[in-house]
Amino acid sequence: MFCVEQEKLDRYHWLVDELNRHGHLYYVLDAPEIEDDEYDALMREMLQFEKEHPDLIRDDSPSKRIGGTVLEAFEKVAHAKPMLSLEDVFSKGELHDWLQRAADSLEQPWIPWCCELKIDGLAVSLIFEDGKFVQASTRGDGIVGEDVTENLKTVKDLPLRLLGDVPGHLELRGEVYMSKEGFARLNAAREEAGLPLFANPRNAAAGSLRQLDTAVAARRNLRLFTYYVQDAESYGLHSQSEVLGWLKARGLPVQRAWRRAGTEAEVLDFLERWSGERFSLPYATDGAVFKADPTEYWKILGNNVKTPRWAVAYKYPPEERKTKLESIEISLGRTGVLTPVANLTPVLISGTVVKRASLHNDEEIQRKDIRVGDQVWVRKAGEIIPEIVRVDTASRTGTEESFTMPATCPVCGAAVAKLPGEVALRCPNRSCPAQLTQGLIHFASRQGMDIRGIGDRLAEQLVQSGLVKSFGDLYALRVEPLIRLDRMGEKSAGKLIQAIAKSKERPLKFLITALGIREVGAGVAAELAKRFSSLDEIAAADEERLAAVEGVGPVIAGSIKAFFGEEHNRRLIDELREAGVSMRSETAPEAPIGPLAGKTFVFTGELSRMSRAQAQELVAQRGGKNVASVSKKTSYVVVGEAPGSKAEKALSLNVPTLNEEEFFAMIDKLPQHMYGGTNDA
Ligand SMILES: [Zn+2]
C-alpha cells in the first residue's frame, strides 16, 4: 500500500483534461493553441504518471486512443431504435418531387429543410452515459449491429467525455470516415504489399473499423462527424439546425457545410455550390442530405420500413470523363512490385488534371479488356485516386493494341514472379537498381536517416553509376567519384558526405524506419525503439515478444521476423554496423511497471463477471501483457465458459491455467492503490 500525493494526482487530472481540451482544439476545431512539441511534452508527463500508477488511469485518458486491445470477435448490439438508411434521389427533379410530397403531407406549401453534405463513410451509433462515452456500434442490418467501442476510442475527434453537463443516457449517430489522403496512403501501402485495394474511403473505413486489433484501427486514422441526437426534444432541441449547434457545443465534430434552407431556391443553391466545392474538402462526399428542419415534422411524417419520410439523400452524379489511353508503362516499387500505369491524354476530373492512372495488375487489365489507344472512362476513387472504370468499346477503330505484362523486370532483366497468394508480379532480384533506388530514397528520407540531398535524381545516379549497390555503400562514398556525377560540384559532394556521416548518429527509431521493413512505418518503429535496447535485440526477438509491442500485433511481427530472417538483410545490417551506424537505443527500454510486470495472459471462453476486454484491462493496468495465442512462454491462460482450443494448447504446453474464480482471486490479492476508486474500468 502506498499513497499518491494529492498534488501529483491533481496534476494528472489536470493533464488529462488539458490534453483532451487540446485534442479537441486540434482535431475537431482545427485551431490548436499550442505547438506539437508542447503537446507531446504534456503527453509524456501524463504517460509517465500512468505508467507509475496504472490503477489510476482514467477512462477518458488520451492514452486510451493508442489502441492495443485485441478482440476475438465483435459482440452484437441491438439498437434501441432501428438505424434507418436514407432514400436516394438522383436528379433535381426527383428531389423537388420528394421535398414537395413531404410538404404536401403536412398540408404546407413548403417547409424549411436542413441541408448537409453526405460524407462517404459508415454510420455508427454512439452511446454516452452522464457525458462519458461508453459504447459504439455499427449499423449492421439496422436492427442489430456490432460493438466497435474499442476502435471508436482510437478516433481522435470523438470526445471520450462531452463538454458541459449531459446527464443520463444519450444516443448519437454519426459517420466514421477516412480522409482522402489517408485513403490514398493506405491503398498505396496495400498495392506495395500486394494486397487487394479498397474501392472507396467508405470500404476502407468499414474495413478499418472492423479490425479486431485496435492498434491497426488506430493507425488507420479514422475520423468522425456527428449529425443526429436520439430524442432531441428531451434536450430542448426542436430543429435539426439546433441539433447540429448543440452537438458542436458538446465538443462533437460536426461537418461545417450545413445550412438551413427556407426556400427551394436555397436548397438548389446549396446543391449547386457544393457540387464543385466539395472536391476541395479533405474527405470524400457523395451527395447532400435534406432533413425537415423542425423535429416535430419527423413524428408527423414518420418512417417507411427502412427509410424515414422526413429526410432524403441527393446523390451527385459520379464525375467520370472520357479520354485516350496513350500508353502503358511499368513502374517499380521499393519491394519490387511491377505496377502497370496508364498514361492518359490529360483530363480535368473532380477538380484536378489527371494524366496517369494505375492499372494495378495484369488481371485488372484483362478483366476490363484495356488496350493501348482505347477511349476510356476515368474517375477518381474516393475523389483522389484516378482509375479507369471501363473502356468505350464502341469507339474502337481496330488499331488498339492489347497489353501483356513483361516476363522480365524492365530494369534489371530478372524473370518476374508472383508470390503465393498475391496477384502482383515482383522482380525477385534484391539488388535490382529500380528497387534499390526506391529503397535508397526511403532510407535517406526525413522519416529515415534524414540525409539531405538524396532525392529521386541523385538516388538514381548513385545506383546507375554503381557507386551504391547497398545502403551500406553510402558510408564509403568519397568526394572524387561523386563529382563525376551530373550537377555535382566539390562543395555539394562535401556537404553530402557530411550529411551521410551525420546520419550515423540517428536515433534507433529512424534507422528501423529507414530499413523499409514491410508494414513498419514511423509509428511502429518508434514503439519498437522504446521497447528494445538495440537493433540486434529486435532481430533476435521471437514473434510473440514483437507482437506484444504496442501497435505491432501478429502480422507485423511476422513481417519483422521475415525481414531479419533474410541473409541479404543480415548482411546489410553488418555493413551498416561496420560503417559505424549507431544501432542502440538512446534510452533504456521502458519496462512495464506493476505487480504483473513481465507476466503474459491469454484469455479463452466467456467470463461471467465482466467482459474479456474489461478483464484484459485489469491485467494491463497491473503491468501484465495480453497476448492472442498460447506459447510455452505464456504465464497464464484464463479459461472461462466454453473455452476454445487455447485451453487444450495450454495443457499440452504445461502452461498454468486459471479458472475465472482463480483469476479474480489473483487480481484481488494484488496491492491496491489508495485512489483506486477513481478508476471505474
Ligand atoms: Zn529488377
Side-chain angles (χ1 to χ4, degrees):
M1 295 260 296
F2 64 89
C3 299
V4 180
E5 293 155 45
Q6 189 60 41
E7 205 174 304
K8 272 193 164 179
L9 187 66
D10 289 346
R11 173 74 181 169
Y12 171 67
H13 287 308
W14 179 85
L15 283 166
V16 171
D17 292 339
E18 194 65 1
L19 284 163
N20 282 338
R21 188 174 74 84
H22 286 301
H24 176 241
L25 285 168
Y26 183 85
Y27 291 108
V28 182
L29 302 180
D30 205 11
E33 280 177 8
I34 56 173
E35 295 293 325
D36 288 0
D37 51 351
E38 290 174 66
Y39 180 89
D40 291 345
L42 294 176
M43 181 66 110
R44 271 197 303 275
E45 186 186 343
M46 189 207 71
L47 289 173
Q48 184 60 34
F49 179 92
E50 292 193 343
K51 208 171 76 184
E52 287 162 11
H53 309 287
D55 277 22
L56 301 181
I57 298 177
R58 263 167 57 171
D59 259 11
D60 61 342
S61 159
S63 63
K64 297 266 175 181
R65 297 184 181 281
I66 299 164
T69 317
V70 179
L71 308 173
E72 196 132 291
F74 292 105
E75 315 242 333
K76 299 279 181 223
V77 178
H79 299 302
K81 296 211 173 130
M83 281 182 82
L84 304 175
S85 46
L86 297 181
E87 194 177 327
D88 292 325
V89 294
F90 298 92
S91 70
K92 285 176 187 160
E94 276 181 76
L95 179 65
H96 165 85
D97 292 349
W98 202 99
L99 300 180
Q100 190 61 58
R101 229 173 13 246
D104 290 348
S105 2
L106 292 163
E107 294 173 354
Q108 306 258 0
W110 188 255
I111 60 167
W113 295 91
C114 185
C115 320
E116 297 164 56
L117 283 181
K118 194 170 181 302
I119 310 300
D120 195 17
L122 108 148
V124 287
S125 153
L126 307 167
I127 311 276
F128 291 80
E129 297 288 353
D130 293 329
K132 206 172 82 179
F133 169 69
V134 293
Q135 190 184 54
S137 52
T138 59
R139 184 207 304 273
D141 61 4
I143 308 295
V144 176
E146 285 179 323
D147 187 329
V148 287
T149 309
E150 292 307 314
N151 281 342
L152 248 292
K153 281 184 185 168
T154 70
V155 176
K156 301 226 173 50
D157 37 18
L158 169 74
L160 299 180
R161 191 179 291 275
L162 298 177
L163 298 178
D165 193 24
V166 190
H169 179 89
L170 166 69
E171 178 177 358
L172 307 176
R173 285 174 187 174
E175 200 86 358
V176 169
Y177 66 94
M178 187 178 281
S179 72
K180 289 180 195 172
E181 194 202 334
F183 170 65
R185 216 172 332 118
L186 177 61
N187 262 359
R190 289 177 73 86
E191 183 146 292
E192 185 80 38
L195 296 169
L197 303 185
F198 288 113
N200 51 49
R202 184 180 51 249
N203 290 357
S208 307
L209 204 55
R210 295 199 74 262
Q211 289 287 334
L212 290 166
D213 183 347
T214 58
V216 176
R219 278 201 307 279
R220 298 277 176 89
N221 263 322
L222 295 173
R223 306 295 300 263
L224 172 77
F225 281 128
T226 52
Y227 47 67
Y228 178 83
V229 176
Q230 189 76 54
D231 302 319
E233 270 108 356
S234 60
Y235 298 90
L237 305 169
H238 300 288
S239 69
Q240 175 64 9
S241 353
E242 283 175 16
V243 164
L244 295 174
W246 185 85
L247 288 167
K248 191 168 172 227
R250 301 281 87 72
L252 289 150
V254 173
Q255 209 277 332
R256 290 173 204 186
W258 71 272
R259 75 176 280 189
R260 182 180 177 279
T263 64
E264 182 164 17
E266 283 174 348
V267 166
L268 294 176
D269 184 56
F270 180 86
L271 265 193
E272 207 47 53
R273 174 175 168 205
W274 288 101
S275 68
E277 267 183 51
R278 65 199 181 101
F279 298 125
S280 61
L281 295 170
Y283 38 83
T285 52
D286 58 355
V289 174
F290 301 92
K291 293 174 189 155
D293 197 43
T295 50
E296 59 175 312
Y297 292 162
W298 300 5
K299 288 209 188 74
I300 306 172
L301 289 166
N303 299 322
N304 298 314
V305 180
K306 285 199 163 162
T307 58
R309 289 199 199 94
W310 45 269
V312 66
Y314 170 90
K315 290 291 190 82
Y316 285 112
E319 285 261 316
E320 287 183 6
R321 296 281 181 275
K322 198 160 77 170
T323 189
K324 187 181 173 191
L325 192 161
E326 294 178 348
S327 62
I328 296 176
E329 63 181 47
I330 301 292
S331 103
L332 254 103
R334 184 154 54 83
T335 57
V337 173
L338 276 68
T339 308
V341 179
N343 288 313
L344 306 165
T345 305
V347 59
L348 183 73
I349 307 171
S350 304
T352 58
V353 174
V354 173
K355 293 180 216 159
R356 286 158 64 86
S358 173
L359 297 170
H360 307 305
N361 54 57
D362 200 31
E363 283 171 30
E364 187 80 358
I365 296 175
Q366 302 314 325
R367 192 171 61 78
K368 291 180 178 162
D369 187 21
I370 293 169
R371 303 179 195 174
V372 176
D374 267 337
Q375 290 290 323
V376 290
W377 286 97
V378 183
R379 71 169 172 210
K380 281 196 200 153
E383 291 173 12
I384 186 163
I385 306 173
E387 65 175 11
I388 291 176
V389 190
R390 62 186 178 280
V391 173
D392 181 17
T393 45
S395 57
R396 273 192 180 150
T397 62
T399 57
E400 297 78 12
E401 287 171 34
S402 4
F403 177 84
T404 39
M405 291 291 282
T408 56
C409 170
V411 177
C412 72
V416 296
K418 278 183 196 179
L419 290 186
E422 288 191 355
V423 286
L425 284 171
R426 281 174 197 275
C427 165
N429 176 8
R430 282 318 217 132
S431 31
C432 171
Q435 289 178 54
L436 187 55
T437 305
Q438 294 301 319
L440 195 57
I441 294 166
H442 177 79
F443 185 82
S445 70
R446 266 186 66 194
Q447 294 182 345
M449 300 303 268
D450 195 21
I451 305 172
R452 302 284 161 85
I454 302 191
D456 294 15
R457 207 171 48 85
L458 182 59
E460 211 176 297
Q461 286 193 71
L462 288 171
V463 172
Q464 270 175 5
S465 63
L467 285 174
V468 173
K469 296 195 185 70
S470 132
F471 304 152
D473 293 343
L474 279 177
Y475 296 92
L477 285 177
R478 297 286 166 266
V479 172
E480 176 50 31
L482 273 177
I483 53 175
R484 271 180 263 141
L485 298 178
D486 255 10
R487 281 187 258 174
M488 176 69 76
E490 205 160 317
K491 203 170 150 204
S492 40
K495 265 193 184 163
L496 178 65
I497 287 170
Q498 264 180 15
I500 293 170
K502 206 175 133 210
S503 77
K504 291 182 191 174
E505 301 306 320
R506 284 289 271 174
L508 181 60
K509 63 176 178 179
F510 296 110
L511 175 63
I512 300 170
T513 310
L515 291 174
I517 303 168
R518 268 219 242 175
E519 319 241 9
V520 177
V524 169
E527 289 302 328
L528 287 168
K530 266 194 236 164
R531 296 292 163 199
F532 293 91
S533 61
S534 68
L535 196 64
D536 294 326
E537 202 191 342
I538 297 172
D542 60 22
E543 280 186 46
E544 190 181 356
R545 183 160 175 224
L546 291 166
V549 172
E550 214 151 69
V552 175
V555 175
I556 299 181
S559 170
I560 297 169
K561 208 66 206 139
F563 179 88
F564 289 107
E566 271 189 51
E567 174 60 32
H568 174 89
N569 295 326
R570 284 204 300 267
R571 210 166 47 228
L572 164 65
I573 287 156
D574 287 341
E575 281 171 24
L576 293 174
R577 191 196 327 277
E578 275 162 38
V581 173
S582 160
M583 304 211 163
R584 299 195 64 80
S585 187
E586 294 174 315
T587 51
E590 296 172 32
I593 290 176
L596 293 180
K599 300 267 188 281
T600 52
F601 285 75
V602 173
F603 285 81
T604 178
E606 298 267 325
L607 301 178
S608 62
R609 268 172 66 178
M610 57 178 70
S611 75
R612 177 180 302 176
Q614 286 168 322
Q616 287 175 328
E617 188 65 25
L618 292 178
V619 169
Q621 284 171 353
R622 286 155 182 80
K625 256 177 193 163
N626 295 295
V627 293
S629 54
V630 184
S631 79
K632 271 189 282 187
K633 291 178 184 164
T634 309
S635 312
Y636 298 103
V637 174
V638 181
V639 182
E641 272 304 301
S645 61
K646 290 172 188 174
E648 286 165 33
K649 192 156 180 213
L651 279 179
S652 71
L653 293 174
N654 268 329
V655 172
T657 57
L658 300 172
N659 63 28
E660 182 169 354
E661 260 171 53
E662 290 165 337
F663 170 72
F664 286 113
M666 169 192 266
I667 293 288
D668 288 342
K669 259 191 279 171
L670 296 173
Q672 297 257 323
H673 289 302
M674 207 182 156
Y675 294 96
T678 55
N679 172 29
D680 31 16

